[in-house]
Amino acid sequence: EPEVTQTPSHQVTQMGQEVILRCVPISNHLYFYWYRQILGQKVEFLVSFYNNEISEKSEIFDDQFSVERPDGSNFTLKIRSTKLEDSAMYFCASSETRGTNEKLFFGSGTQLSVL
Amino acid sequence: GENVEQHPSTLSVQEGDSAVIKCTYSDSASNYFPWYKQELGKRPQLIIDIRSNVGEKKDQRIAVTLNKTAKHFSLHITETQPEDSAVYFCAAGGQFYFGTGTSLTVIP
């Protein structure tokens, strides 16, 4: 079965540094998402992306965050100046459609630790 | 936006018993309600979903019921097994607002 892949699986960075988290969505999917999960808490929506632009974003997704689809396969999340509270598991997801059939397929996540 | 509440936060059952997890949502326009299972350290995986034009859906030992009038939906797991132990999340709304999760432990 096709999978969403994410790299790296773990990322350790110093506060104030920039990080880029990478994702390869399932090839025929058109909608891409980033979520985060702070340890022991629920999964929180960050942003959705379709047709090379952000379609929706949450209040968490502030000016420190950006997303990009630099080529036909990768989907990236950039955090410009990391803060301690950015430490979390970041999940990429993709779906084939939106609306009544928006099944999400999650990647295995990137554990980000900000020191 | 959508507000999803999930209960209970933890649930322990004996192997073979049933488990029920309930979620409520606030946006009457929501029309898709998935349930995800997340094992420790793993990604969330879709286990069952229901759309607003259906009241109940079953897949082997798992079922989901939806009450649109009351804006709640529930996950039912029958004949629980130790491998059902995980955190279960409900979701609603086009952006997938997730519930706070239920940690299910099945005691052998």
Side-chain angles (χ1 to χ4, degrees), chain B residues 22-69:
Chain B
K22 298 181 180 180
C23 286
T24 61
Y25 62 99
S26 60
D27 187 353
S28 56
S30 290
N31 55 17
Y32 178 63
F33 308 93
W35 284 90
Y36 290 86
K37 176 183 180 182
Q38 187 178 29
E39 296 174 2
L40 190 61
K42 302 282 184 65
R43 74 187 80 187
Q45 291 199 302
L46 180 74
I47 55 171
I48 196 167
D49 56 13
I50 193 167
R51 291 166 182 77
S52 58
N53 59 344
V54 175
E56 182 176 1
K57 182 177 178 181
K58 285 185 181 179
D59 182 4
Q60 300 182 358
R61 296 185 297 108
I62 296 173
V64 57
T65 58
L66 171 65
N67 183 326
K68 282 204 70 182
T69 304

Side-chain angles (χ1 to χ4, degrees), chain A residues 3-4 35 37 41-43 45 56 91 98-104 106-108, chain B residues 31-32 36 38 41-44 46 49 51 89 93-96 98-101:
Chain A
E3 284 191 342
V4 176
Y35 292 81
Q37 186 178 31
Q41 298 186 24
K42 68 177 177 180
V43 176
F45 169 76
E56 290 151 307
F91 289 105
R98 283 298 301 274
T100 58
N101 191 30
E102 48 190 311
K103 293 186 180 182
L104 283 184
F106 284 86
S108 53
Chain B
N31 55 17
Y32 178 63
Y36 290 86
Q38 187 178 29
K42 302 282 184 65
R43 74 187 80 187
L46 180 74
D49 56 13
R51 291 166 182 77
F89 291 97
Q95 297 175 6
F96 280 92
F98 282 74
T100 47

Side-chain angles (χ1 to χ4, degrees), chain B residues 78-97:
Chain B
T78 58
E79 299 171 32
T80 52
Q81 300 167 4
E83 51 265 38
D84 295 329
S85 296
V87 178
Y88 292 80
F89 291 97
C90 63
Q95 297 175 6
F96 280 92
Y97 293 95

